[in-house]
Amino acid sequence: MARILVVANKTAESPELLEVLASRSAGNTFYLVVPASGGSGLEKAADPDAAVEHTKPHLDTALESLRGSGLDVDGTIGDTDPLAAVQDALNFGKFDEVIVSTLPARASKWLKMDLPSRVERLAGVPVTHIETKQKD
């Protein structure tokens, strides 16, 4: 039984992510980390909890959708920095794999910062990158 860390934000409810998770669901558990987001940099600095409050409904909807598809998944809101969010998850749990789900390259801030490669160096376990087809 593997424990798989899933890092996603806008793509947490994407069909591409669901398809990959469903293909790995037999006997595995998933832990979804959605980095806190929402508001401008100044708004986040003035009220860090605002980003968490903004992200919570998205996390709840994603977990409900994934569980509704029969997946054994739990999750949390992570740091606003996705790499820090992964580091926090790794500090508090053992994972056999990490799945990083991003927007398409033309729209993804995470790909611009090379998040999948950085997570692989940090985690020391296999990392799978899923790029959605959704527009955003």
Side-chain angles (χ1 to χ4, degrees):
M1 174 192 254
R3 188 156 186 244
I4 302 171
L5 175 62
V6 180
V7 185
N9 195 335
K10 294 178 182 178
T11 62
E13 299 169 62
S14 71
E16 294 88 358
L17 179 59
L18 178 58
E19 181 180 334
V20 170
L21 298 184
S23 74
R24 288 175 164 83
S25 65
N28 296 325
T29 62
F30 302 96
Y31 191 73
L32 174 64
V33 173
V34 177
S37 64
S40 72
L42 289 175
E43 290 170 331
K44 288 180 198 174
D47 184 5
D49 293 334
V52 172
E53 291 171 21
H54 179 267
T55 306
K56 180 146 179 39
H58 179 55
L59 172 66
D60 292 344
T61 301
L63 288 173
E64 184 178 323
S65 173
L66 295 170
R67 288 174 181 147
S69 297
L71 299 174
D72 182 1
V73 61
D74 200 0
T76 191
I77 298 169
D79 191 275
T80 57
D81 175 339
L83 193 60
V86 170
Q87 180 66 67
D88 290 344
L90 294 170
N91 286 342
F92 293 103
K94 180 169 174 17
F95 298 94
D96 302 292
E97 179 183 1
V98 180
I99 296 175
V100 178
S101 178
T102 69
L103 293 169
R106 68 187 176 282
S108 175
K109 293 176 185 173
W110 289 7
L111 288 179
K112 287 178 179 67
M113 67 180 281
D114 195 22
L115 185 64
S117 296
R118 293 174 74 188
V119 167
E120 191 166 28
R121 287 191 299 271
L122 179 71
V125 297
V127 173
T128 301
H129 171 229
I130 300 163
E131 186 174 319
T132 65
K133 296 181 180 109
Q134 74 186 51
K135 301 170 191 163
D136 199 337

